[in-house]
Amino acid sequence: MLKNRYTLLLGGTALCCLFGSGAMAQQSSGIETVTVTAEKREADLQKVPVAVTALEGGELDSHGIVGFEDLTMQVPSLRFGAGVTGGEHVVTLRGIGSQNTTSGGDSPVAYSVDGVYQGRTTAVDPEFFDISRIEVLHGPQGTLYGRNSVGGSINIITNRPDGEFGAYADAMFGNYSAWTLRGWLNVPLNSGENGPEINARITGVSANRDGYQKNNSTTPGHTSDSDGQDFYLVRGQLDMKFSDDVDFLISGYVTNNDAPVATKLAWGTAPLASQARFVGQTYDPNPRHSSSGFPDRLSQQNNGISGTLTWNLGAATMTSITAYTHGDWHQTNDADSSDLDIAHLNYWTLDSDQFSQEVRFASNPSDSAFSWIAGFFYFNEKVNQGFQYVDTGLNAPFGTGFIFTNGGDIETTSWAPFGQVDFDLSKTSANIPLTVTLGLRYTHDEKKIDDFLNYEIPDFAFVLPLAKVVDKSWSQVTGKFGLAYQASDDTMIYANMSRGYLAGGELVGNFPGVYDPETVMNYETGFKTRFADDRVQLNASAYYTRIRDMQVFVQDITGSRIDNAGKAHVQGVEAELIALPTDALRINASLALTEAKYDEYETIDNRYAAPPPSCTLPGGLCDFKGHRLIQTPDWTVGLGAQYTIETEIGTFTPRADVFFSGDLYFLSANSPMDRQDAYTMANLHLSWTSTDGKWTADAFVNNVGDEDVISNDGLQSNTIGLGYGIDNYTYYPPRTYGLRVGVHM
């Protein structure tokens, strides 16, 4: 089916290329060229033989993209979900993601800021501002990005200091008492006439709003800011140009986030027998309402510093990126979403220190048919985690409660040499517009773990202490073989075969807890084309991904574990279109058709303490073969349009975005309870820029239909449901509206 759809897509593009004439072809201006660093060197997006979605800073502003939740409406196959314990993040790309956000886990979608890989998903900032562009690389990036990029890589590139004085500030006010103040200042410090040219830039964000979730609790000490915002960011950069060939950038940042994500335990949807612990409570089905008596609190801080040296050596350019980041995390959470103190997360703490070093050499443009890049990557992370979950035993049989405490230290060390060679046959006597690419990377990962688990039943003075010390290492060779054919100046066709690798690991406080690496083979073909006098751009790809030992996060009664599912596959089609029918009208569209299923996976249905009748394999195991992978709809469509209106008082640009998504599941069991139905979300914006470009304003309404769309779902301890795991949901934001006014200085 997908193959037929892709054939139709290719055929339609060929027709457009053959007959792309008429009114649009007669216009003079076209789609702007976007320069990306997807292959760690600057190149035109349309010349990079990789599936990449690139959004420049101006597009982020005009599309109203201020965070990952907005980004998912613009990038095919990307989904972002808030963690169900109330704050960490789950990123899924092309069907590959993980709920394992603990200190021993790794996200299968790599995330980096200015070339610095971020090991913890808690480092994802909720506010995009002063950004040059965002590049989303689809599929495994096993050569140049390598570590833990089996689903893809998301790269944030901030605006760098330059030689012109400038400043900008804006203020946004909206519903839920929302206000955000943002600004940047760019200052040239030395022109370069005496000593190096030195430029500085400082960026700041302060954002605050009330919670989207209403807490009806009357319990003393309850909190009411879940799904609110209390965030600030300060980023400073100092760029020193010692000569035309040598540049050194120092960048540092501090962020603070004190508003927890709202969770909604859907205990009223459980079987009546599983609601017995909630006696005397009235369930409110409104997903934006809760009655959480135990306080939901979050204190999260991240800071980091990096130095990037770029040195043109003539035949090649050396780039060195040295970085250190630190993160602190402390959270409490009401586990039962009721006034009763049935269960709560007493604390979850995470303290992380990360050091990374990458050095690479890349050949400079020349007449040679060969171009190359070679480098070495080193990464060390030390994380301490503490976790305590308390079931008070309230309304449980015999009044029995328990205290589940775990934690420990994990140190991860990873290193990898890598290289990629491109051979351009158009620069040889053969004069064929074909480039052959070969890339290889060798990765060695080591994880040292010293952790513990204490399981206590106070009523019986029972304590089960467990502890372990683990030292495990894994090594993998990954890489890429690719062909890129430049059919014309405006059309490129490419095919790639690439291998990705997600490191093995250990789940803190889980016994035995060690799980194996996940490996991915991806086969992909696609094209990038412009036609109609550069007024239409269409990029599309079709891929097949084979996954072995897929890491699946499973909640087990009061604990958790990682399964290595035997086999899975993802195949799909992605397409992105930009069209300029007139100079005033701009249209964009995206499409993702995806089949993502397990081919071999036998495990428990963790919703139930005892195996349900549907699990008939020995030991009460279930056969999930044919079940869909989590967080992956079969299809999504994104549509956007904006129209520029020039007036005597400035430029007005109304814009509308609509996102359609098929249904999806959050758990491997694929039950109706962990399913999000197909949904539609729409955003409306009206922007204004003064005639001199100094003043701007943006009025917006996001989620116009006020849809309640589940962001994520995980099961709470099935002791709360007396042997039945109750769904614990997080949601995307409701309808929000506001006005942002800015000034350039």
Side-chain angles (χ1 to χ4, degrees):
M1 186 67 170
L2 288 171
K3 181 178 179 182
N4 292 337
R5 289 171 175 168
Y6 185 61
T7 301
L8 289 172
L9 188 61
L10 284 170
T13 303
L15 288 174
C16 289
C17 292
L18 287 172
F19 301 106
S21 58
M24 286 196 298
Q26 296 170 9
Q27 301 288 341
S28 58
S29 58
I31 298 169
E32 65 281 358
T33 298
V34 177
T35 300
V36 298
T37 52
E39 295 197 306
K40 298 203 172 181
R41 67 171 90 219
E42 291 189 351
D44 179 355
L45 172 66
Q46 294 303 102
K47 306 296 183 183
V48 178
V50 177
V52 183
T53 300
L55 294 167
E56 295 188 300
E59 288 181 279
L60 298 177
D61 293 336
S62 65
H63 294 194
I65 299 173
V66 296
F68 265 98
E69 289 154 335
D70 308 308
L71 197 63
T72 58
M73 294 181 64
Q74 304 287 335
V75 180
S77 303
L78 175 68
R79 199 168 197 279
F80 175 82
V84 294
T85 51
E88 71 282 9
H89 305 292
V90 177
V91 182
T92 304
L93 188 56
R94 284 191 175 179
I96 301 179
S98 175
Q99 299 274 22
N100 182 15
T101 54
T102 64
S103 58
D106 300 288
S107 171
V109 179
Y111 174 74
S112 67
V113 179
D114 290 333
V116 179
Y117 169 77
Q118 305 292 322
R120 299 294 101 212
T121 62
T122 52
V124 175
D125 290 334
E127 289 276 339
F128 293 150
F129 178 63
D130 201 17
I131 301 295
S132 173
R133 66 187 178 279
I134 296 176
E135 300 177 8
V136 180
L137 285 66
H138 302 246
Q141 308 298 316
T143 302
L144 299 180
Y145 294 90
R147 187 170 199 274
N148 301 334
S149 60
V150 289
S153 182
I154 300 173
N155 306 325
I156 311 294
I157 298 95
T158 63
N159 285 319
R160 294 181 60 152
D162 58 39
E164 295 186 12
F165 177 84
Y168 172 81
D170 66 31
M172 186 280 291
F173 298 93
N175 60 333
Y176 294 94
S177 301
W179 59 264
T180 301
L181 304 177
R182 310 186 304 179
W184 58 259
L185 173 66
N186 192 91
V187 181
L189 299 179
N190 189 24
S191 65
E193 294 181 4
N194 298 303
E197 179 186 342
I198 303 176
N199 303 305
R201 191 180 190 96
I202 187 168
T203 303
V205 177
S206 180
N208 195 286
R209 70 161 181 269
D210 293 342
Y212 295 144
Q213 186 182 77
K214 181 181 179 181
N215 190 358
N216 294 317
S217 176
T218 57
T219 302
H222 74 278
T223 54
S224 302
D225 60 347
S226 294
D227 266 354
Q229 191 170 37
D230 184 2
F231 172 80
Y232 71 77
L233 171 148
V234 178
R235 180 171 63 239
Q237 298 169 296
L238 187 68
D239 188 37
M240 294 172 283
K241 298 182 186 297
F242 295 95
S243 70
D244 290 340
D245 295 325
V246 181
D247 179 271
F248 185 59
L249 174 70
I250 300 175
S251 180
Y253 69 90
V254 176
T255 69
N256 187 87
N257 185 16
D258 287 335
V261 169
T263 58
K264 171 76 173 186
L265 187 69
W267 61 267
T269 66
L272 289 177
S274 300
Q275 299 181 30
R277 299 194 66 183
F278 295 86
V279 61
Q281 296 292 292
T282 301
Y283 179 70
D284 187 339
N286 189 321
R288 309 288 182 184
H289 290 180
S290 180
S291 295
S292 299
F294 191 83
D296 292 323
R297 294 195 175 102
L298 173 68
S299 176
Q300 177 190 358
Q301 293 183 336
N302 291 297
N303 56 76
I305 186 170
S306 64
T308 302
L309 173 65
T310 306
W311 190 353
N312 187 340
L313 301 172
T317 296
M318 183 192 80
T319 303
S320 171
I321 304 175
T322 307
Y324 167 79
T325 63
H326 174 77
D328 280 310
W329 168 285
H330 186 278
Q331 183 179 6
T332 65
N333 178 249
D334 188 301
D336 54 68
S337 295
S338 76
D339 261 333
L340 301 176
D341 189 11
I342 297 173
H344 58 262
L345 176 63
N346 207 28
Y347 61 81
W348 178 18
T349 63
L350 189 149
D351 184 89
S352 66
D353 290 279
Q354 170 189 309
F355 172 81
S356 63
Q357 173 67 59
E358 178 168 311
V359 178
R360 62 179 184 268
F361 295 84
S363 62
N364 289 326
S366 70
D367 294 332
S368 173
F370 284 98
S371 60
W372 52 269
I373 184 169
F376 186 84
F377 174 77
Y378 174 82
F379 175 85
N380 179 266
E381 181 188 43
K382 297 177 181 178
V383 184
N384 174 268
Q385 176 176 307
F387 183 94
Q388 186 174 84
Y389 178 89
V390 177
D391 188 316
T392 65
L394 182 68
N395 297 330
F398 313 111
T400 303
F402 63 87
I403 302 174
F404 180 91
T405 308
N406 68 27
D409 298 301
I410 292 184
E411 180 176 3
T412 299
T413 302
S414 178
W415 53 266
F418 60 89
Q420 181 170 298
V421 177
D422 299 298
F423 184 60
D424 186 352
L425 289 165
S426 69
K427 294 182 178 181
T428 68
S429 58
N431 196 27
I432 302 172
L434 177 69
T435 299
V436 182
T437 299
L438 177 64
L440 286 174
R441 186 184 189 105
Y442 176 83
T443 302
H444 179 81
D445 285 304
E446 181 180 16
K447 293 194 177 183
K448 297 180 180 180
I449 301 104
D450 183 354
D451 69 340
F452 70 92
L453 163 64
N454 287 337
Y455 187 82
E456 305 175 52
I457 304 178
D459 288 352
F460 293 95
F462 173 82
V463 179
L464 175 65
L466 297 172
K468 67 175 182 291
V469 176
V470 177
D471 188 343
K472 290 280 291 182
S473 62
W474 303 269
S475 298
Q476 289 281 339
V477 175
T478 57
K480 169 186 174 180
F481 175 75
L483 299 172
Y485 183 75
Q486 196 69 41
S488 68
D489 290 341
D490 298 320
T491 301
M492 179 185 65
I493 303 170
Y494 65 90
N496 294 320
M497 178 176 65
S498 57
R499 187 173 192 268
Y501 153 74
L502 178 63
E506 189 265 1
L507 200 61
V508 173
N510 183 262
F511 292 79
V514 178
Y515 51 89
D516 294 327
E518 173 183 319
T519 57
V520 168
M521 280 297 299
N522 185 63
Y523 307 89
E524 184 165 352
T525 182
F527 64 84
K528 298 183 177 185
T529 185
R530 282 187 179 179
F531 50 93
D533 199 20
D534 281 347
R535 285 188 161 268
V536 180
Q537 176 178 296
L538 177 62
N539 297 344
S541 63
Y543 63 92
Y544 174 82
T545 305
R546 187 179 72 243
I547 310 167
R548 294 188 182 277
D549 295 323
M550 187 174 194
Q551 295 172 12
V552 183
F553 183 77
V554 178
Q555 291 164 291
D556 233 346
I557 309 178
T558 56
S560 303
R561 74 168 195 268
I562 299 293
D563 280 348
N564 281 116
K567 297 177 183 178
H569 76 271
V570 185
Q571 60 180 344
V573 172
E574 296 170 343
E576 295 179 275
L577 173 74
I578 299 174
L580 304 178
T582 70
D583 287 340
L585 178 62
R586 183 184 181 96
I587 298 171
N588 64 275
S590 65
L591 167 72
L593 304 172
T594 313
E595 178 188 273
K597 293 183 177 181
Y598 295 108
D599 298 319
E600 184 181 291
Y601 184 27
E602 296 178 359
T603 186
I604 65 168
D605 186 337
N606 59 314
R607 185 179 293 275
Y608 304 95
S614 58
C615 297
T616 58
L617 297 177
L621 296 180
C622 314
D623 187 356
F624 286 165
K625 178 181 180 180
H627 284 210
R628 289 164 57 184
L629 302 187
I630 65 170
Q631 293 271 16
T632 307
D634 285 340
W635 59 270
T636 62
V637 175
L639 299 173
Q642 63 186 55
Y643 192 82
T644 302
I645 304 170
E646 303 286 352
T647 73
E648 293 182 354
I649 62 171
T651 302
F652 291 86
T653 307
R655 178 176 178 85
D657 287 279
V658 185
F659 180 73
F660 307 89
S661 174
D663 67 335
L664 61 129
Y665 293 96
F666 298 98
L667 301 174
S668 301
N670 286 187
S671 73
M673 290 80 75
D674 62 82
R675 177 176 180 265
Q676 167 62 54
D677 293 337
Y679 64 91
T680 301
M681 295 186 74
N683 298 338
L684 297 176
H685 285 250
L686 175 61
S687 301
W688 168 80
T689 303
S690 63
T691 52
D692 59 4
K694 182 177 180 179
W695 292 92
T696 62
D698 179 36
F700 64 89
V701 182
N702 292 332
N703 189 4
V704 175
D706 199 21
E707 302 292 332
D708 295 323
V709 178
I710 302 171
S711 163
N712 203 2
D713 177 20
L715 302 180
Q716 272 291 12
S717 167
N718 57 29
T719 57
I720 294 179
L722 301 178
Y724 177 87
I726 302 174
D727 296 277
N728 197 31
Y729 299 120
T730 60
Y731 287 85
Y732 286 134
R735 181 193 297 122
T736 58
Y737 53 84
L739 174 67
R740 189 188 304 275
V741 178
V743 58
H744 290 270
M745 293 170 277

